Amino acid sequence: MSKTPRGVTLDQLSTFLLVAKTGTFTQTAKKLNVNQSTVSRTLQKLETFLGVRLFEREGNNLILSSAGLKIQAKAQAIADSVDSLIAEAREFQGCKTHGLRFASSVSFSRAISPFLVNALIGSIPDIATFSGNTPEVIGMLQKGFVDIAVATTSMAGFSEFTSRVLYREKYLLILPREVEHVISSKQELVEYASDHPCIQFHRQTQDWLHTSRVLRQLGVNNWTISLSTIESIIQLVEREKYWSLMPAVNIWGANRDLSKVTYKFLFGQQGYRTLYLLYREEYFRPIADEIASVVKIALEQELIPKFSKINLTLGTAVEWEGDSS
């Protein structure tokens, strides 16, 4: 019996198939929520192990080599077999009616997941929840570790996944209370930022990418600080030497007194972050419908009223866009 080569991984085969489909590292990286160098290294490892070149360059596009064409069909068969295996295993486990594995961002997990678990636990006795940044959450869903996920990236480019919009949240300026009435324009913010660094989440997060784009749009190019927790960011802003940009639900997830800082909409450069409900198997649709309904209720009846009392801007920074029917 031939021994399965340990040098070839499912991630390598999946990356190879996606590059063959898109024809570029750029599009592949975008769909996988990784950088281009990661795609290149993954493909290089596969080529090194197999001892063949899988692609040739044709202008700006990559096309399959003769060896790549032969390997593509077998790689696709392996990927299809794994998908079938996962589906059959879940059927055996009774995932349709007896269990749910759910992943979401850290901020969603803190602010909304408690309402979600409380609402679902009566009808779904076995619920396991996981949290992480967007690439981690997407990875868990793609590898079959979870059944349903909420993330800030749509998977519309993957035909096997369903992507449903839940809500859109605005990025807010988080400022020391002492400057609440001092900064009322984009120019005043730029001047303030010239000697007060902006605090962002660390570079491994989608939030860092989003806030960096918003900062460029605002014309803020000075140095920034990167931290990994919401609490530490708001705590530093309270000390009146720093400021930050953050989407509303992130702020809601902070375990602090949120009235000690102030919040403002961006001046003519409003940034948004969209949350998507993601799942693969169609039999999870009824659970996904229930999740969407619970999220809508949690936002409109619990979180928005609560935070409107703290700050009107904070309470009006989320817009429901989903179909909760």
Side-chain angles (χ1 to χ4, degrees), residues 90 100-104 137 141 146-150 277-281 284-289 291:
R90 288 179 180 170
L100 174 66
R101 297 168 301 169
F102 177 79
S104 65
V137 170
L141 185 63
V146 297
D147 308 306
I148 302 179
V150 170
L277 184 62
L278 311 167
Y279 55 95
R280 188 199 302 259
E281 288 81 0
F284 282 116
R285 181 180 179 86
I287 299 177
D289 290 342
I291 288 173

Side-chain angles (χ1 to χ4, degrees), residues 12-188:
Q12 290 171 354
L13 293 180
S14 298
T15 300
F16 161 66
L17 291 170
L18 191 54
V19 173
K21 181 179 179 180
T22 65
T24 70
F25 286 164
T26 302
Q27 289 300 315
T28 300
K30 184 177 180 180
K31 288 180 178 294
L32 293 177
N33 292 295
V34 298
N35 55 47
Q36 293 183 48
S37 61
T38 299
V39 174
S40 178
R41 286 195 303 269
T42 301
L43 196 58
Q44 186 178 36
K45 288 179 181 179
L46 180 60
E47 289 181 326
T48 299
F49 184 83
L50 296 176
V52 295
R53 284 189 67 83
L54 298 174
F55 293 94
E56 303 289 346
R57 186 164 290 281
E58 188 177 86
N60 293 326
N61 294 320
L62 294 170
I63 60 171
L64 287 166
S65 65
S66 56
L69 285 168
K70 291 182 178 179
I71 291 171
Q72 182 186 28
K74 293 186 177 181
Q76 188 63 60
I78 293 172
D80 291 342
S81 295
V82 171
D83 288 343
S84 177
L85 175 65
I86 292 172
E88 290 178 11
R90 288 179 180 170
E91 289 281 0
F92 179 79
Q93 294 168 350
C95 286
K96 287 185 180 180
T97 56
H98 300 299
L100 174 66
R101 297 168 301 169
F102 177 79
S104 65
S105 66
V106 174
S107 58
F108 184 97
S109 178
R110 288 185 171 189
I112 299 177
S113 284
F115 298 100
L116 196 58
V117 172
N118 185 60
L120 297 179
I121 196 65
S123 57
I124 305 175
D126 182 13
I127 301 176
T129 63
F130 306 88
S131 63
N133 58 43
T134 291
E136 291 169 343
V137 170
I138 295 294
M140 284 188 270
L141 185 63
Q142 288 178 317
K143 294 173 183 177
F145 295 160
V146 297
D147 308 306
I148 302 179
V150 170
T152 58
T153 296
S154 168
M155 298 188 72
F158 294 86
S159 59
E160 66 270 32
F161 289 96
T162 297
S163 298
R164 297 167 55 176
V165 175
L166 286 177
Y167 58 85
R168 189 171 72 155
E169 52 185 324
K170 298 177 181 178
Y171 275 87
L172 300 176
L173 294 172
I174 306 177
L175 298 162
R177 291 201 64 85
E178 68 169 7
V179 300
E180 180 176 5
H181 302 296
V182 175
I183 300 176
S184 58
S185 69
K186 176 181 174 181
Q187 183 57 40
E188 289 172 344

